[in-house]
Amino acid sequence: LKGKQIFSTREKVGEAFPVIPSYVIENKAMKLILSPSYFYDTSSLSSDSEQSFIYHYGINEYDSNTKNKMSLDDVLDAIKIVADEKRIRIIMLLNKAPRYGYELAQTLSLSNSTISHHLSTLHSIGIVYSMRIENKVYYQLNKDKLKELMETLTKSLLE
């Protein structure tokens, strides 16, 4: 695991992994288990019961949540990806609340495969991340990454 980090509080875990539900972070009696994996790459899997919550995450997901500066080439590539009308609508919906693919497809009147393609593309630049809960994969907006992208673009244009 790159940049090994020991979390001193559950709140720090919540900051590093915003996909972990707040009820898990706040419930000190619930056992929280973090499990990094080379095999998951940027994916994650969570499982919970009344006593414990296991979050199995790919190490590249962890790296994408840490503060690292985007290069101008990264910003330009990301802007090309985001500059699609359907992806902007997806971002706007995910800004309000996490949603699963079928729900997004119905709301935007698109096929499941089209939504899957757009979400995969947004996921590849770190703006969207996924979280499996029971048999559904929910997608959530990574607001910090989107903000970093916009700030880097603004800074690059105004320098």
Side-chain angles (χ1 to χ4, degrees):
L1 179 63
K2 296 178 186 174
K4 291 181 184 175
Q5 186 171 355
I6 297 174
F7 299 102
S8 56
T9 65
R10 291 173 81 93
E11 288 75 24
K12 298 264 186 214
V13 171
E15 290 170 15
F17 301 99
V19 297
I20 296 177
S22 58
Y23 74 87
V24 173
I25 301 299
E26 294 164 2
N27 184 354
K28 307 274 190 232
M30 183 177 273
K31 188 174 186 179
L32 174 60
I33 302 165
L34 298 177
S35 173
S37 171
Y38 285 103
F39 303 104
Y40 271 87
D41 193 36
T42 59
S43 301
S44 64
L45 173 72
S46 61
S47 175
D48 66 344
S49 67
E50 291 181 20
Q51 296 88 16
S52 65
F53 183 89
I54 300 170
Y55 184 65
H56 194 70
Y57 62 94
I59 60 167
N60 288 334
E61 179 178 340
Y62 177 78
D63 290 342
S64 71
N65 288 330
T66 59
K67 295 284 184 188
N68 53 2
K69 299 296 178 191
M70 296 177 74
S71 71
L72 182 58
D73 287 339
D74 292 339
V75 171
L76 294 175
D77 290 341
I79 292 300
K80 288 176 193 173
I81 289 171
V82 172
D84 177 271
E85 178 186 354
K86 301 295 185 203
R87 292 181 188 144
I88 290 173
R89 291 184 189 277
I90 290 170
I91 290 169
M92 291 169 66
L93 287 170
L94 293 178
N95 187 42
K96 295 176 184 173
R99 298 174 189 257
Y100 60 99
Y102 178 77
E103 183 180 12
L104 287 168
Q106 294 300 308
T107 303
L108 296 173
S109 300
L110 297 171
S111 69
N112 287 337
S113 60
T114 301
I115 286 294
S116 178
H117 169 73
H118 287 307
L119 289 169
S120 174
T121 305
L122 291 170
H123 187 273
S124 72
I125 60 171
I127 290 178
V128 170
Y129 53 89
S130 60
M131 174 177 52
R132 180 174 294 278
I133 299 177
E134 295 178 1
N135 64 342
K136 294 180 183 173
V137 177
Y138 284 84
Y139 295 90
Q140 192 165 353
L141 182 64
N142 185 342
K143 294 178 184 180
D144 291 336
K145 186 71 171 183
L146 183 60
K147 187 176 181 180
E148 178 187 354
L149 170 64
M150 293 298 131
E151 287 173 355
T152 305
L153 176 64
T154 302
K155 185 178 176 184
S156 299
L157 291 173
L158 297 178
E159 282 186 343

